[in-house]
């Protein structure tokens, strides 16, 4: 059992390192090589095919009454989530995006209280307030900051966090009822249907002849690692550790993003993101993390 728990933590570590690296890797090919909507098209199609290949070995029937919930999960957890994230990342700093994403547990708590009627304790209320201040500070600062920060980009990333947070709440009953891979496969299928009107025109206009080896590596990383493997790692970990433990690993993402951007800016001499690391962003990050810590802390 202890060995399985260790593997679960290693899986979570791997998933969140992948997520943290994704901010800079995906940003590096947008929009010069591929537009956000076209990138999302490739991501959902590629990962969706991989999920359904595994799903072929899982014989499980979905009740008709659950398809409506799956459709909403596809809209929120795949189409809206990824469209908002990639368009936001295209406009703003990788560091800003990685900090704002850590607000997801706050969003989940809000929707859990609103929809599932879960009780909000004093600690959680204080946590929501502090974390919210950090997120708002960073979004507002994007309108005045130097570097690659952007008010609109930060706002889209925050809306992405809201979309994904609501998805986590409404998908919860399905994850308890069915195999996780069955749920994810259907969610990606319905997400593809919602994404198609946005992604198809962009993918048809993409100049694949301009792709370099670096571009193909980045796109492959996002499809195979960020989408497919990270989902599988999280599913595996949830079999052995609590969801709260799973959620706590999101704090790694800003740290990984900070490290990668620092290496990119100072170690490799690329000054594009050099001004994206400053005191305001570090303060915003600390506020969000402390807020989420209060939310996840068990009240006596």
């Amino acid at each position: 059992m202890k060995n399985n728990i260790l593997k679960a933590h290693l899986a979570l570590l791997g998933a969140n390192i992948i997520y943290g690296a994704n901010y800079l890797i995906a940003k590096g090919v947008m929009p010069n090589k591929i537009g956000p909507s076209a990138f999302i098209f490739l991501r959902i199609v590629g990962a969706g095919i991989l999920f359904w290949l595994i799903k072929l070995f899982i014989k499980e029937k979905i009740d008709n009454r659950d398809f409506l919930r799956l459709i909403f999960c596809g809209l929120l957890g795949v189409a809206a989530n990824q469209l908002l994230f990639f368009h936001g990342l295209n406009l703003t700093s990788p560091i800003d995006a990685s900090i704002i994403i850590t607000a997801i547990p706050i969003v989940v708590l809000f929707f859990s209280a609103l929809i599932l009627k879960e009780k909000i304790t004093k600690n959680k209320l204080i946590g929501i307030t502090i974390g919210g201040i950090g997120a708002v500070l960073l979004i507002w600062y994007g309108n005045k900051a130097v570097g690659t920060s952007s008010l609109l980009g930060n706002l889209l990333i925050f809306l992405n966090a809201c979309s994904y947070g609501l998805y986590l709440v409404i998908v919860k009953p399905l994850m308890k009822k069915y195999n996780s891979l069955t749920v994810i496969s259907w969610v990606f299928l319905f997400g593809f249907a919602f994404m198609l009107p946005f992604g198809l025109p962009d993918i048809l206009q993409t100049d694949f002849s301009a792709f370099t080896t670096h571009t193909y590596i980045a796109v492959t990383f996002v499809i195979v690692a960020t989408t497919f493997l990270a989902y599988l790692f999280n599913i595996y970990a949830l079999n052995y550790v609590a969801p709260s433990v799973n959620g706590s690993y999101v704090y790694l993402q800003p740290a990984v993003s900070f490290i990668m951007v620092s290496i990119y800016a100072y170690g490799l001499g690329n000054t594009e993101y050099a001004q994206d690391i400053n005191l305001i962003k570090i303060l915003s990050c600390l506020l969000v993390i402390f807020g989420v810590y209060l939310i996840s802390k068990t009240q006596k």
Side-chain angles (χ1 to χ4, degrees), residues 124-202:
K124 291 179 178 179
L125 184 60
I126 296 172
I128 288 175
T129 304
I130 293 174
I133 291 171
V136 170
L137 175 63
L138 185 61
I139 293 169
W140 172 81
Y141 183 71
N143 194 38
K144 301 178 180 297
V146 294
T148 61
S149 297
S150 156
L151 172 62
L152 178 59
N154 286 354
L155 184 58
L156 290 175
I157 295 293
F158 179 71
L159 291 175
N160 153 66
C162 293
S163 173
Y164 191 69
L166 179 55
Y167 156 74
L168 289 177
V169 173
I170 66 172
V171 82
K172 187 175 180 179
L174 295 174
M175 288 294 189
K176 289 183 176 180
K177 188 174 182 180
Y178 303 106
N179 185 291
S180 300
L181 278 168
T182 299
V183 175
I184 288 174
S185 298
W186 281 104
V187 167
F188 264 76
L189 182 61
F190 289 124
F192 170 76
F194 284 113
M195 174 278 305
L196 193 59
F198 301 95
L200 187 59
D202 275 18

Side-chain angles (χ1 to χ4, degrees), residues 10 21 75 128 168 172 183 192 201 220 259-260 273 281 300:
L10 290 175
L75 172 63
I128 288 175
L168 289 177
K172 187 175 180 179
V183 175
F192 170 76
T220 302
I259 291 169
M260 289 199 65
Y273 299 124
K281 294 183 182 183
K300 294 182 181 180

Side-chain angles (χ1 to χ4, degrees), residues 60-107:
E60 189 174 33
K61 186 179 179 181
I62 300 290
D63 291 341
N64 289 334
R65 64 177 180 271
D66 289 327
F67 274 106
L68 182 60
R69 186 179 288 265
L70 280 170
I71 290 170
F72 275 108
C73 288
L75 172 63
L76 295 169
V78 176
N81 167 39
Q82 296 195 22
L83 283 167
L84 289 166
F85 176 80
F86 270 68
H87 280 277
L89 182 61
N90 184 50
L91 295 173
T92 195
S93 160
I95 288 178
D96 289 32
S98 66
I99 295 172
I100 295 171
I101 284 297
T102 60
I104 285 177
I106 299 174
V107 177

Side-chain angles (χ1 to χ4, degrees), residues 238-255:
L238 282 172
N239 291 317
Y240 302 104
V241 299
S244 59
V245 175
N246 190 310
S248 68
Y249 271 83
V250 77
Y251 307 147
L252 279 175
Q253 294 182 32

